[in-house]
Amino acid sequence: MSTAPLRLVTRDDYGVKFASASVVPAIGSETQLKSVLGALAGVDAVGLEARCAKLATRSIKKSTKLEAIDLAISMVDLTTLEGADTPARVSSLCAKAMRPDPRDLTVPSVAAVCVYPDLVARARSALANSSVAVASVATAFPSGRASMRVKLLDVNDAVEAGAHEVDMVIDRGAFLSGRVGEVFEEIVAVKEACGEAHLKVILETGELVTYDNVRRASWLAMLAGADFVKTSTGKVSVNATPPAALVMLEAVRDFAESTGKLVGVKVAGGIRTTKDALRYLVLVNETAGSTWLSPDRFRFGASSLLNDLLMQRLKQHRGAYVRSDDFSGD
Amino acid sequence: MSDERLDVRKTYKLLINGAFPRSESGRSYKVSTKSGDFLANVAQGSRKDLRDAVLAARGVQAKWWASSAYNRGQVIYRLAEMAESRRDELANHVGAAEGLGEQQAEQSVSRAIDRIIWYAGWTDKIAQVYGGANPVAGPFFNFSLPTPSGVVAVLASQESSLEGFVDAVLAPIAAGNTVVSVASELRPTPAVLLGEMTATSDFPAGVLNIVTGVTSELAPTLASHEDVDGIDLSGVNLDEANELSVSAAGSIKRVFRPRPNDTDPTRRLRAFIETSTVWHTIGQ
Amino acid sequence: MARTCALTISAATEVNEHDLTASRLGSLEYDPAPESSAIAHFRSSYGLFIDGAFTDPSSHEQFVSLNPANEEVLATVAQSSREDIDRAVRSARRAYEEVWSHTSGAERAKYLYRIARLILERAREFAVVETLDNGKPIRESRDVDVPLAAAHFFYYAGWADKLDYAGFGVNPRPIGVAGQIIPWNFPLLMAAWKIAPALAAGNTCVLKPAETTSLSALLLAEILQQAELPAGVVNIVTGDGSSGAALVDHPGVDKIAFTGSTEVGRLIQQRVAPSQKRLTLELGGKGANIVFEDAPIDEMIEGIIDGIFFNQGHVCCAGSRLLVQESVADEVLRRLVRRVEQLRVGDPMDKNTDVGAINSAAQLARIRELTSFGESEGATRYTSSCTLPEKGYWFAPTVFANVAQSHRIAREEIFGPVLSVLTFRTPEEAIVKANNTNYGLACGVWSEKGSRTLWVAQRLRAGVIWANTYNKFDPSSPFGGVRESGFGREGGRHGLEAYLDV
């Protein structure tokens, strides 16, 4: 008779398990860092893209769609990063962030408003007493081409003006040329300058080119103290892509499993439609799971996405297509 | 006459795993010339001899296939060189066995030797002729390689003692198979001679095994042997071939049955080739 | 150091299981997204497609075709008798002699192109029919079966007028009338794999679909009518094993092509042996999926999943034996089981379903029987906790760990969603274990090291080897087995050889 154990799997047993105490290892040298990054499993681009294509066929309907749309709205970092930004535009954006659809108070507010450092103070005052955070890009965004001193001053400006979150860019040139220690130290320094503010580290995955690099850069950023890893500045030709996001989701999942530290993911650049957003949420749902299905752990950096989410939301409720002019242009 | 030297006769033995044993059964049988004169006592192989031969063929097959196609070609070419240097002896035996005149026998040997060279040249062409890249619709590098079936049993032609034998055994060998052959029952000596030549041609032991004996007794063992991957039924009649084919189906063997007036010499070459297709992702 | 986790800390081993915070995968539940079944118009009963028309079987005997997902009757299908088979073969012979052998390659090509286009025009309908009749997820029939079937016709269409250049000499002749027997796992695709090369090479066909899955082939018959393929060039005769046997035995058939189990293939080879019929066999397998410690782990896990759970594991080339390098075995198993738990099992018509229904009660019984040996022989069983529908034939995705080479679940083809996991230490050991089977259809290799991948590929005795991928098919890529997985190839230039007298 059988004495073999029958192991019935249950969902709770086989989710993503976190180490109970945070045990992020200290990185003492570039050599050590390189050995950690070099030990990461490779990514097969074909398999990765095939997985994304398959998940893109998930059909999100009915109540799931409504739930997902509201979740996506709550994850938006409503962004304006133009030279032409004005205080007035920021104020109006903040109004939209707090109450995306003034006629429907069941629409959640977005996660944050994302601006340049000089507009942080304005955003803070416009968002006072709301749950919407102020995020600021810094470190010579988007190119990152400035001295460390200037980058840190940039961060200080943003933090002193009240930014809750800082989006920094890494030095892609240093990373690609193998000076990973330099990138690491830069993130550590910026993290320190952030103080209480959360740090999102922009990898600019389009410039890292390979998925292996995306995985290594994600781990590097997490080891250096990033609270979020973010795909892109939105200012280069290749912005967020589902495969790059999938690699980053795998990275934060595996990092949480081995260190207990939860790091978020932000996808940014080129995400304009509800369909796009839902596809990212499917990736989150099936790769990292419930813990990341929250604005604390997943964000969309976007501007026009919000209106499309609102339109689709209304359409789901009304059962008829709606016109875009129903929503404010901000 | 007293001053005429008494010739030294040869015992015709089996070729199994590079060695020349008598049959483990201790049996032999008398082989005559076409005209009925005594030619030789030839070892009468048994089921156990075949078992040993299949073991030997299986044991060396991966190694034979793993050696370079160039090297396999050299080995087979070397056999032609050996045959060339013993062509008179071969011709005597072919002539005696098949009842051919001197000239006809020599021509037959010449054709056989030329055929060996033909196969020598095939070893490093097969992959190019029968393999290739496949343009699949996706990010994959995809190529098909002809690979050997494995161990091939050959029931060689009963009539064509050398030419038929050369074709039947060298086609699978050139493709990377190893062979357990049963030589023509009544005309075995040319095959035995060729087997002896493999010993000086760098043939790894076991690549070609030759068992002489009674075909009808030996054939069923090979046809039903589960570690034999393919069988060439050239040396049996239609009824026997039908029966052996049924038996060969037990382990899904590849079965080669010669066609009358076949003009395509590649059919034998293709008979014991498998196509192995490898896909690999293409990505940064 | 294993290249799977950057840090030496492993959550699975160091962390107290009860103390965990966990992130639930798939917590965002997807509402049902069913494809509409209304697009499939079944007749209540189907006749035999002989000589270009649907005709009643001589016995007037019908059998039911069920939807295996809910056991509802979809239609009744005709049972072919020996006389019906004879009628079909004579129709094919007449068409061969009077029409098809006088039809130029270029014209044959155009018929095949037409068929390819017609399949795509009615792709959605085909997908629905296939899923209803077979139980496979609509995502697979829509994204794999139907487009590949059309592509197969498209590919072979191009060969029909280029046979002189196919490497089989000038003016290679067709064989004649081909009897083709196909399985229930990819009903339409297998019909395409059989019919397309046969027609391109100039043969005519009698095709017998599997007993439980005739409907997509009968829909294909309608396509052939729409394509105005000359009557008798393709005949489709439904029925059980006795119909297949009658086809195999029929003296008017010049060639038999069979896809199915090794058991039946062996019987067919035995029956065909005394005749001069040509034969190609595409039989069972017990594919090894070999995972080295430097594999691209996330894609590899997906590849293992695709390898065994694609089409409920009803795949002759399924990667049903996972060979994992010992140094990463625990981590691979942990991730694999987690992923298995995520599979969405249920209504095949739901666009989000990953694993559908088992094709028949008989197959379900066989899977249950073989898996019961897994436990009794001492393997550790992991079974998804998914809820299975009450009606229909269902089997939860299952992984057996600690499997030994000698276990039945490591040796016998289960043909279901059941994976056996074994370990190895060196590449040499992996090869020995992978080749330790009478089968030889397909294998997988997962490694980031090209030289080792090729080293392994060279030594695997298998007709198809997937490196860093699995279960990929393409009309230009030859498919077929070695040893007891059969002989002959389908697909590519090689696939023509099976239908040419060369």
Side-chain angles (χ1 to χ4, degrees), chain C residues 145-411:
Chain C
D145 295 62
V146 176
L148 270 181
H152 218 79
F153 278 103
F154 206 85
Y155 174 81
Y156 276 107
W159 268 123
D161 56 358
K162 299 169 192 70
L163 298 174
D164 286 353
Y165 314 105
F168 304 107
V170 174
N171 196 19
R173 306 304 305 156
I175 296 171
V177 174
Q180 305 174 314
I181 300 168
I182 59 173
W184 45 260
N185 56 345
F186 296 92
L188 176 69
L189 185 59
M190 290 301 104
W193 279 26
K194 293 285 180 283
I195 294 172
L199 298 195
N203 305 271
T204 58
C205 314
V206 177
L207 176 88
K208 194 203 85 71
E211 186 181 359
T212 58
T213 54
S214 307
L215 299 179
S216 58
L218 294 165
L219 182 58
L220 182 63
E222 283 181 29
I223 293 275
L224 302 179
Q225 287 178 323
Q226 288 184 342
E228 294 173 16
L229 187 73
V233 170
V234 173
N235 303 273
I236 298 174
V237 289
T238 49
D240 60 13
S242 71
S243 315
L247 183 58
V248 167
D249 291 341
H250 197 290
V253 170
D254 302 306
K255 189 238 156 68
I256 294 291
F258 171 75
T259 298
S261 70
T262 292
E263 198 182 348
V264 176
R266 183 178 284 122
L267 289 173
I268 290 177
Q269 191 181 352
Q270 284 165 347
R271 289 175 92 130
V272 166
S275 75
Q276 297 301 312
K277 285 174 197 156
R278 306 296 168 74
L279 178 66
T280 45
L281 298 172
E282 203 271 90
L283 308 176
K286 191 75 190 176
N289 210 352
I290 304 171
V291 167
F292 287 100
E293 61 182 6
D294 66 348
I297 190 162
D298 290 287
E299 295 73 44
M300 173 263 284
I301 294 290
E302 289 309 314
I304 297 169
I305 294 287
D306 277 346
I308 187 61
F309 299 117
F310 172 60
N311 205 31
Q312 297 72 248
H314 299 329
V315 184
C316 47
C317 52
S320 52
R321 284 185 298 153
L322 181 66
L323 301 180
V324 194
Q325 196 154 21
E326 232 175 69
S327 53
V328 289
D330 288 346
E331 177 155 13
V332 169
L333 186 65
R334 183 174 68 82
R335 287 170 177 253
L336 181 62
V337 168
R338 177 170 77 192
R339 185 69 183 82
V340 168
E341 180 59 20
Q342 262 186 278
L343 289 166
R344 306 174 59 87
V345 184
D347 182 8
M349 290 290 278
D350 191 313
K351 291 170 194 163
N352 293 323
T353 290
D354 296 321
V355 179
I358 301 303
N359 181 252
S360 66
Q363 187 58 27
L364 180 59
R366 179 174 164 76
I367 296 169
R368 283 182 174 153
E369 187 200 353
L370 277 168
T371 46
S372 73
F373 294 123
E375 286 161 75
S376 61
E377 288 181 322
T380 311
R381 177 174 179 166
Y382 298 86
T383 292
S384 164
S385 68
C386 61
T387 312
L388 298 177
E390 281 177 13
K391 293 204 80 180
Y393 314 125
W394 299 93
F395 196 87
T398 293
V399 173
F400 281 103
N402 304 317
V403 177
Q405 284 281 89
S406 57
H407 289 173
R408 287 188 68 177
I409 53 169
R411 307 203 69 78

Side-chain angles (χ1 to χ4, degrees), chain A residues 79 135 182 306 314:
Chain A
T79 302
E182 221 174 288
L306 181 58
L314 200 57

Side-chain angles (χ1 to χ4, degrees), chain A:
Chain A
M1 192 44 221
S2 161
T3 52
L6 170 64
R7 184 72 165 91
L8 273 176
V9 180
T10 70
R11 279 179 183 270
D12 290 338
D13 277 350
Y14 285 90
V16 179
K17 301 178 196 173
F18 312 136
S20 52
S22 186
V23 278
V24 181
I27 298 294
S29 68
E30 184 170 62
T31 313
Q32 189 200 349
L33 178 61
K34 279 186 170 172
S35 79
V36 170
L37 299 183
L40 291 165
V43 181
D44 187 279
V46 175
L48 176 74
E49 288 168 10
R51 172 76 177 142
C52 284
K54 197 185 250 187
L55 287 177
T57 69
R58 289 296 193 216
S59 180
I60 309 297
K61 300 277 184 213
K62 300 174 196 158
S63 67
T64 314
K65 190 165 186 179
L66 276 175
E67 190 190 338
I69 287 173
D70 281 3
L71 185 59
I73 292 171
S74 75
M75 289 171 162
V76 167
D77 279 4
L78 198 55
T79 302
T80 184
L81 294 170
E82 302 298 334
D85 286 345
T86 61
R89 172 164 163 73
V90 169
S91 296
S92 125
L93 204 67
C94 289
K96 177 136 181 155
M98 290 185 286
R99 201 171 285 181
D101 184 351
R103 295 158 302 182
D104 184 351
L105 299 182
T106 65
V107 178
S109 52
V110 305
V113 166
C114 184
V115 294
Y116 274 115
D118 62 326
L119 291 165
V120 167
R122 181 59 179 246
R124 267 303 291 258
S125 67
L127 291 168
N129 302 324
S130 83
S131 63
V132 179
V134 175
S136 171
V137 297
T139 69
F141 180 94
S143 68
R145 302 217 74 93
S147 70
M148 198 54 214
R149 197 171 55 87
V150 172
K151 288 181 185 176
L152 289 177
L153 283 173
D154 202 16
V155 174
N156 287 340
D157 270 2
V159 173
E160 278 168 19
H164 303 98
E165 302 171 0
V166 170
D167 290 23
M168 73 170 284
V169 292
I170 65 163
D171 183 340
R172 283 84 74 186
F175 181 87
L176 290 170
S177 66
R179 289 177 279 127
V180 289
E182 221 174 288
V183 181
F184 184 87
E185 281 167 6
E186 210 172 278
I187 297 171
V188 169
V190 172
K191 171 73 180 166
E192 207 185 312
C194 282
E196 295 290 297
H198 275 210
L199 174 62
K200 304 193 196 107
V201 176
I202 302 172
L203 309 179
E204 199 69 293
T205 53
E207 290 188 358
L208 297 181
V209 181
T210 70
Y211 299 122
D212 289 331
N213 280 343
V214 174
R215 176 169 288 175
R216 291 190 197 111
S218 300
W219 277 79
L220 183 157
M222 293 188 292
L223 288 165
D227 297 301
F228 264 78
V229 285
K230 176 176 167 184
T231 59
S232 328
T233 58
K235 302 291 186 187
V236 296
S237 58
V238 178
N239 292 301
T241 64
L246 180 53
V247 170
M248 290 163 71
L249 286 162
E250 288 162 356
V252 298
R253 176 198 67 194
D254 294 350
F255 193 74
E257 282 197 305
S258 41
T259 68
K261 182 168 179 210
L262 301 178
V263 177
V265 174
K266 179 172 171 183
V267 291
I271 303 158
R272 295 192 180 85
T273 66
T274 301
K275 195 172 177 179
D276 291 339
L278 295 189
R279 282 184 179 169
Y280 281 107
L281 287 182
V282 166
L283 295 185
V284 177
N285 189 38
E286 302 205 24
T287 305
S290 54
T291 303
W292 278 267
L293 284 171
S294 140
D296 292 344
R297 305 274 175 254
F298 195 78
R299 295 281 179 84
F300 294 102
S303 43
S304 59
L305 170 66
L306 181 58
N307 267 0
D308 194 65
L309 288 166
L310 293 171
M311 276 171 64
Q312 293 302 321
R313 189 179 190 275
L314 200 57
K315 186 234 150 186
Q316 285 297 111
H317 281 295
R318 283 191 190 157
Y321 294 100
V322 296
R323 66 168 77 91
S324 60
D325 284 344
D326 265 6
F327 301 96
S328 66
D330 292 321

Side-chain angles (χ1 to χ4, degrees), chain B:
Chain B
M1 279 204 269
S2 60
D3 59 343
E4 193 172 305
R5 182 178 174 272
L6 191 66
D7 60 348
V8 179
R9 285 188 182 166
K10 182 159 77 181
T11 303
Y12 291 85
K13 299 197 216 173
L14 311 178
L15 169 57
I16 296 174
N17 202 20
F20 297 92
R22 294 187 175 84
S23 168
E24 64 73 40
S25 67
R27 299 179 301 178
S28 65
Y29 69 112
K30 193 180 86 175
V31 170
S32 308
T33 64
K34 179 88 171 174
S35 51
D37 297 331
F38 173 74
L39 185 64
N41 287 313
V42 172
Q44 185 181 341
S46 67
R47 292 162 56 100
K48 283 186 181 166
D49 292 321
L50 291 176
R51 177 200 62 191
D52 294 344
V54 171
L55 266 176
R58 174 62 67 199
V60 75
Q61 196 273 325
K63 184 184 151 199
W64 176 240
W65 172 235
S67 64
S68 71
Y70 177 68
N71 180 250
R72 277 182 271 127
Q74 298 259 305
V75 170
I76 296 173
Y77 185 79
R78 181 72 179 158
L79 177 63
E81 290 179 338
M82 293 299 112
E84 186 79 14
S85 67
R86 288 170 67 178
R87 52 177 298 127
D88 293 347
E89 185 187 6
L90 279 169
N92 287 341
H93 278 266
V94 169
E98 299 182 18
L100 305 176
E102 199 176 316
Q103 203 184 351
Q104 280 177 302
E106 277 173 12
Q107 283 169 352
S108 175
V109 170
S110 294
R111 284 194 299 270
I113 293 171
D114 291 355
R115 198 66 158 186
I116 296 172
I117 292 173
W118 192 71
Y119 283 114
W122 260 115
T123 57
D124 50 7
K125 316 296 181 296
I126 290 171
Q128 290 175 317
V129 173
Y130 298 114
N134 306 306
V136 297
F140 301 96
F141 186 61
N142 176 303
F143 56 98
S144 289
L145 281 178
T147 60
S149 299
V151 174
V152 172
V154 168
L155 306 176
S157 162
Q158 297 297 344
E159 290 76 31
S160 181
S161 62
L162 184 63
E163 286 184 68
F165 185 80
V166 160
D167 260 333
V169 300
L170 284 186
I173 285 175
N177 298 280
T178 54
V179 163
V180 176
S181 63
V182 174
S184 166
E185 181 175 330
L186 301 179
R187 304 168 178 181
T189 59
V192 173
L193 289 182
L194 195 74
E196 290 169 2
M197 295 170 198
T198 64
T200 52
S201 311
D202 300 326
F203 265 68
V207 168
L208 173 61
N209 302 275
I210 303 172
V211 176
T212 49
V214 181
T215 302
S216 61
E217 183 188 313
L218 298 171
T221 300
L222 286 175
S224 64
H225 198 306
E226 292 195 353
D227 207 25
V228 169
D229 300 297
I231 188 165
D232 177 333
L233 298 175
S234 300
V236 295
N237 67 31
L238 188 66
D239 289 343
E240 288 167 328
N242 287 345
E243 206 170 302
L244 293 169
S245 296
V246 174
S247 174
S251 58
I252 322 284
K253 285 184 184 56
R254 288 85 180 107
V255 178
F256 176 82
R257 299 175 72 163
R259 303 186 190 178
N261 309 316
D262 194 358
T263 55
D264 182 357
T266 68
R267 203 188 312 281
R268 266 211 163 81
L269 207 54
R270 289 186 271 124
F272 302 111
I273 286 176
E274 313 287 336
T275 298
S276 187
T277 298
V278 182
W279 297 62
H280 200 299
T281 51
I282 299 175
Q284 293 188 56

